[in-house]
C-alpha cells in the first residue's frame, strides 16, 4: 500500500511538472505569436475589453469565495446547488443563443468546408470523390451531425440556416460547464471551488466565440467532461451494478467525444491509466473493472468503424483509404514555424507526392519531421511546437 501511495504521489508531481512548461508557453509565448491570418478571430470587442471582463470575473470569484468560505455542503445543500447550477447553465444557454445571432466571427478554414459540405448533402448532393475527406476523415462525423441538423431544420418548416446548429452548440457549451462544476463539487465537497469553477467556465468557455462555429471543438467538448464526471461517480459507488454502469458511461462519454474530436480519446487513456495505477497501488479487486472497461472501449472502437462506414455511405463519399492522413503528417506540419503549426499548403503537397501509398507518405512525413527537429534543435523545436 505504501509503495502504491508513492507511485500516486509521484504521478501528481509529474503531472504538475509537465503542466508548468505548457502554462509558460501559453502565457509568455502563445499570446505573442503571429498566428496564421486564417486562424485570427475577428470579434466585436478589442482584447483589452475582454481582459477587463476577465478581471471583473476574477474579482467576483474572490468576493464569493470569501463570503462562503465557511459553508459546508449538507445533502440538501448539495441538491440545491445542483439545481442552481442547472438553472444558471440554462440561462447561459439562452444568453449565448441571443448573443450568437449578432456576434462577428470569421471562420475561413475547415469550419466552412464542413459547413458547406453538410448543407450540400442535406440538399441532396452526395459528396462524391472529395479528397479532403479522404485525407481528414476525422471531420466526417461533424459533417454528418450538421447534415442531420440541417435536415431537421428543414423538416420543422424552417428555411435551412445556421441557427439550429448555433442552438445545439450553445446547449453543448452549457452541458459541458454543468458537468465540469459537478465534477469539481464532487472532488472537493466544497462550495468555494464550485463557485470558482462556474465563474471561470463562464469567463473562459461561456463567452467563447466558438459557440457559433459548427465544428468539432464545441460539439465534442461536453462528452469527455461527462466521462470524467461519471468516472468519479464510479470510484465512489459501492455496489457492483451501479459501479459497472457508471464505468461504462465514463468510457462511452470519452469514446463519443473522441468520435467527434479524436484528441478527446486522451480521457479514455487517462481513465484506464488511473485504473491501472489504482490496481498497482493495492486495489487488486479492480482488475475486473479494468477488464470490463477495456472491453467496452474495444466494442466502441469496433462500432466506430461501422459508424464511419455508414456515414460515408449515407453521405455518398467515394473514400480513398490511401490518402488518409496519419499522425506522422500532423507531426510534420505541426513543426512548421512559418504557419505556427497550423495548415501549410507546402506541407499538404505531400499528399500530391504520395497519392497511391499511405505507408510511403507516412514514412516520408516522419523523416521530414525529424529533419525539422534536427535543424531547429531541442529548444527551438520546443518553443515553436
Amino acid at each position: 500500500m505504501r509503495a502504491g501511495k508513492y507511485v500516486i504521489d509521484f504521478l501528481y508531481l509529474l503531472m504538475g511538472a509537465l503542466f508548468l512548461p505548457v502554462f509558460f508557453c501559453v502565457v509568455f509565448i502563445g499570446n505573442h505569436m503571429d498566428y496564421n491570418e486564417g486562424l485570427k478571430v475577428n470579434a466585436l470587442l478589442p482584447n483589452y475589453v475582454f481582459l477587463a471582463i476577465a478581471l471583473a470575473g476574477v474579482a467576483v470569484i474572490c468576493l464569493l469565495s470569501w463570503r462562503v468560505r465557511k459553508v459546508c455542503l449538507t445533502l440538501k445543500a448539495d441538491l440545491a446547488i445542483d439545481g442552481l447550477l442547472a438553472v444558471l447553465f440554462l440561462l447561459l444557454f439562452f444568453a449565448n443563443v441571443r448573443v450568437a445571432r449578432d456576434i462577428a466571427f470569421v471562420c475561413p478554414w475547415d469550419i466552412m468546408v464542413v459547413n458547406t459540405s453538410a448543407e450540400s448533402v442535406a440538399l441532396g448532393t452526395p459528396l462524391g470523390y472529395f479528397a479532403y475527406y479522404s485525407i481528414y476523415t476525422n471531420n466526417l462525423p461533424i459533417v454528418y451531425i450538421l447534415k442531420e441538423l440541417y435536415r431537421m431544420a428543414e423538416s420543422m418548416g424552417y428555411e435551412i440556416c445556421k441557427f439550429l446548429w448555433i442552438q445545439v452548440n450553445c446547449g453543448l457549451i452549457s452541458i459541458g460547464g454543468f458537468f465540469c462544476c459537478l465534477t469539481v463539487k464532487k472532488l472537493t465537497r466544497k462550495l468555494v471551488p464550485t463557485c470558482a469553477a462556474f465563474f471561470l467556465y463562464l469567463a473562459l468557455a461561456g463567452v467563447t466565440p466558438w459557440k457559433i462555429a459548427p465544428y468539432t471543438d464545441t460539439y465534442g467538448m461536453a462528452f469527455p467532461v461527462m466521462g470524467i464526471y461519471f468516472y468519479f461517480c464510479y470510484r465512489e459507488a459501492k455496489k457492483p451494478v451501479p459501479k459497472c454502469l457508471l464505468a461504462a458511461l465514463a468510457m462511452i462519454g470519452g469514446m463519443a467525444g473522441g468520435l467527434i474530436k479524436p484528441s478527446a480519446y486522451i480521457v479514455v487513456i487517462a481513465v484506464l491509466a488511473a485504473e491501472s495505477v489504482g490496481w498497482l497501488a493495492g486495489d487488486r479487486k479492480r482488475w475486473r473493472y479494468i477488464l470490463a472497461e477495456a472491453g467496452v472501449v474495444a466494442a466502441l472502437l469496433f462500432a466506430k468503424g461501422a459508424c464511419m462506414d455508414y456515414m460515408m455511405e449515407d453521405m455518398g463519399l467515394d473514400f480513398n483509404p490511401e490518402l488518409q492522413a496519419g499522425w506522422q503528417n500532423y507531426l510534420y506540419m505541426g513543426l512548421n514555424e512559418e504557419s505556427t503549426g497550423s495548415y501549410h499548403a507546402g506541407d499538404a503537397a505531400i499528399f500530391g507526392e504520395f497519392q497511391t501509398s499511405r505507408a510511403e507518405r507516412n514514412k516520408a512525413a516522419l523523416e521530414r519531421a525529424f529533419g525539422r527537429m534536427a535543424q531547429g534543435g531541442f529548444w527551438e523545436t520546443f518553443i515553436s511546437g
Side-chain angles (χ1 to χ4, degrees):
M1 293 295 290
R2 183 175 295 274
K5 184 179 182 303
Y6 289 150
V7 170
I8 293 175
D9 290 342
F10 171 75
L11 287 174
Y12 286 154
L13 291 173
L14 179 62
M15 292 300 104
L18 291 176
F19 178 75
L20 288 176
V22 175
F23 178 78
F24 176 83
C25 288
V26 169
V27 175
F28 298 103
I29 298 176
N31 284 333
H32 300 284
M33 290 181 71
D34 184 20
Y35 286 98
N36 188 307
E37 285 295 329
L39 298 178
K40 292 180 180 178
V41 174
N42 295 315
L44 289 174
L45 299 174
N47 280 341
Y48 64 82
V49 177
F50 287 122
L51 175 61
I53 294 173
L55 291 176
V58 171
V60 171
I61 291 172
C62 294
L63 177 62
L64 285 175
S65 299
W66 175 258
R67 294 298 297 271
V68 300
R69 66 189 184 279
K70 295 182 179 180
V71 175
C72 296
L73 292 181
T74 62
L75 179 59
K76 289 184 179 180
D78 194 45
L79 294 175
I81 292 171
D82 290 349
L84 178 60
L85 286 172
V87 171
L88 289 173
F89 279 108
L90 183 62
L91 292 175
L92 175 63
F93 164 73
F94 287 119
N96 270 340
V97 169
R98 182 65 187 87
V99 171
R101 299 178 66 176
D102 303 315
I103 196 170
F105 193 76
V106 178
C107 311
W109 64 104
D110 293 17
I111 294 173
M112 290 298 102
V113 176
V114 300
N115 185 37
T116 303
S117 298
E119 188 172 353
S120 177
V121 174
L123 289 170
T125 304
L127 290 175
Y129 183 72
F130 202 146
Y132 175 86
Y133 292 115
S134 290
I135 297 172
Y136 306 112
T137 54
N138 56 292
N139 278 331
L140 283 173
I142 191 64
V143 176
Y144 179 82
I145 291 170
L146 291 174
K147 179 263 295 183
E148 290 297 309
L149 289 175
Y150 279 126
R151 287 184 177 174
M152 186 184 302
E154 186 181 34
S155 66
M156 292 168 61
Y158 298 105
E159 178 183 1
I160 290 184
C161 63
K162 299 177 178 62
F163 192 57
L164 187 58
W165 55 251
I166 286 177
Q167 291 176 304
V168 173
N169 244 8
C170 294
L172 289 170
I173 288 172
S174 286
I175 291 171
F178 178 66
F179 278 96
C180 179
C181 291
L182 290 183
T183 302
V184 172
K185 182 167 66 68
K186 182 171 286 294
L187 281 173
T188 63
R189 302 293 186 185
K190 295 179 180 179
L191 185 58
V192 171
T194 305
C195 292
F198 171 76
F199 284 105
L200 285 173
Y201 190 87
L202 187 65
L204 298 174
V207 297
T208 175
W210 284 101
K211 67 171 68 74
I212 65 163
Y215 200 49
T216 55
D217 298 76
T218 45
Y219 272 75
M221 177 181 68
F223 300 101
V225 177
M226 293 187 332
I228 293 171
Y229 174 74
F230 288 129
Y231 175 69
F232 286 120
C233 291
Y234 146 79
R235 292 292 296 267
E236 287 187 351
K238 302 299 181 183
K239 297 182 179 180
V241 173
K243 201 171 182 68
C244 289
L245 178 61
L246 290 166
L249 287 174
M251 296 296 100
I252 291 170
M255 294 297 290
L259 178 65
I260 302 173
K261 186 74 173 179
S263 56
Y265 285 132
I266 191 66
V267 170
V268 176
I269 297 172
V271 167
L272 292 176
E275 287 290 87
S276 300
V277 170
W279 178 73
L280 292 173
D283 188 359
R284 297 303 179 182
K285 295 181 179 179
R286 190 174 291 178
W287 69 267
R288 64 191 71 179
Y289 295 107
I290 299 175
L291 188 61
E293 289 160 355
V296 171
V297 171
L300 291 173
L301 283 174
F302 177 80
K304 176 195 173 183
C307 287
M308 292 293 289
D309 291 341
Y310 170 79
M311 287 186 285
M312 291 179 190
E313 183 179 353
D314 180 77
M315 294 186 292
L317 175 65
D318 185 8
F319 178 62
N320 181 1
E322 291 303 319
L323 283 180
Q324 189 172 11
W327 63 267
Q328 298 91 339
N329 295 97
Y330 293 108
L331 176 64
Y332 168 50
M333 195 175 294
L335 293 170
N336 192 316
E337 296 181 24
E338 182 181 341
S339 60
T340 59
S342 60
Y343 176 84
H344 188 274
D347 291 347
I350 194 172
F351 292 96
E353 294 181 57
F354 302 92
Q355 298 183 39
T356 58
S357 176
R358 180 181 175 185
E360 290 181 9
R361 184 178 65 253
N362 287 341
K363 181 181 178 182
L366 198 58
E367 290 175 353
R368 295 177 189 182
F370 283 126
R372 284 179 174 172
M373 290 182 188
Q375 183 179 9
F378 174 78
W379 287 111
E380 186 69 23
T381 300
F382 173 77
I383 294 174
S384 63

